[in-house]
Amino acid sequence: MKTSFLALALAGSGSLAVTAISAQDQPQIPGVVDVSRVAAGSYSLDPSHTLVSWQVGHFGFNDYFGLFGQIDGTMTLDPADIDATQFDITVPITSVSVPSEGLRDHLLRPGKDGAAPDFFGPEPEAARFVSTSVRRTGETTAVASGMLTMNGQTGPVTMLVEFTGAGQNPMSEAQTVGFHARAQIDRTDWGISYAAPLVDNMVDLEISAAFERD
């Protein structure tokens, strides 16, 4: 019996040692939700790791999803004065990505027989969001309001923003700050009325953004 207990103890201690060594070997995640890591200054978006997703109801059956990428933008940020934060974000409409090539063609094709396009047309101007106010709502959350220009129309948009991490990017070595944001817009306010309301007017937007300090 004593031998069995000794064997179990040795086995247990060996397992603990292996676990400890394995834990030490694991790379440390560079981004942490720690506001003390955020430095005041000017930032630029990392276009390779920033996305805007959209979701819209289709005929009342289900939701359809798409993405915009290649996003450009700047931010000025002072963690001691969050309300003074400013964003200027540009989203190229031509970067739209959807699983259906037919739908992508429809989104970007010209109108029939000289008519206005159903959606954006073949050479749409990039969408642009410029913040007008940022209001802190919690330790890591804020509400950002601004004006969105898209499809030749400009109107107000409000986003719920959450700070998701800060640290040094191990690839670019840039000090990086990450955010997730959510908003909802009525697409008809920007002149995108095709198939409404069979395809929902309201479009849900999810933004995942990484900003690198200049």
Side-chain angles (χ1 to χ4, degrees):
M1 182 65 71
K2 289 181 180 179
T3 302
S4 299
F5 275 122
L6 180 59
L8 287 172
L10 289 172
S13 64
S15 298
L16 289 173
V18 170
T19 301
I21 292 171
S22 297
Q24 292 173 2
D25 289 343
Q26 292 297 318
Q28 296 299 306
I29 296 174
V32 178
V33 182
D34 181 353
V35 294
S36 69
R37 289 187 169 205
V38 181
S42 299
Y43 289 77
S44 297
L45 270 176
D46 174 2
S48 298
H49 298 96
T50 299
L51 294 169
V52 175
S53 71
W54 51 268
Q55 177 178 340
V56 63
H58 183 252
F59 289 176
F61 296 129
N62 65 333
D63 290 343
Y64 196 85
F65 303 86
L67 288 172
F68 293 104
Q70 303 171 27
I71 299 165
D72 189 23
T74 59
M75 173 182 68
T76 56
L77 173 66
D78 182 353
D81 187 11
I82 293 297
D83 292 358
T85 303
Q86 294 181 325
F87 297 93
D88 189 342
I89 309 299
T90 301
V91 181
I93 298 299
T94 52
S95 72
V96 66
S97 176
V98 291
S100 167
E101 285 298 321
L103 175 58
R104 188 177 190 281
D105 174 72
H106 192 182
L107 291 172
L108 299 177
R109 76 188 179 206
K112 188 175 181 181
D113 298 327
D118 291 336
F119 293 100
F120 298 107
E123 297 181 355
E125 292 288 332
R128 183 183 181 192
F129 176 80
V130 179
S131 66
T132 54
S133 69
V134 175
R135 177 173 57 86
R136 185 173 181 170
T137 57
E139 184 66 21
T140 59
T141 58
V143 173
S145 299
M147 301 302 289
L148 173 65
T149 299
M150 179 174 65
N151 203 40
Q153 309 280 348
T154 300
V157 172
T158 296
M159 298 188 297
L160 305 178
V161 182
E162 180 182 7
F163 164 62
T164 54
Q168 185 180 48
N169 185 319
M171 305 301 291
S172 66
E173 299 185 351
Q175 292 298 320
T176 302
V177 181
F179 299 95
H180 286 171
R182 293 180 288 119
Q184 187 179 71
I185 64 172
D186 184 337
R187 64 188 176 95
T188 64
D189 290 343
W190 282 269
I192 307 170
S193 303
Y194 179 80
L198 300 179
V199 175
D200 281 356
N201 293 10
M202 304 309 294
V203 180
D204 292 323
L205 302 175
E206 297 268 354
I207 300 97
S208 180
F211 285 88
E212 295 184 337
R213 193 163 184 261
D214 296 335

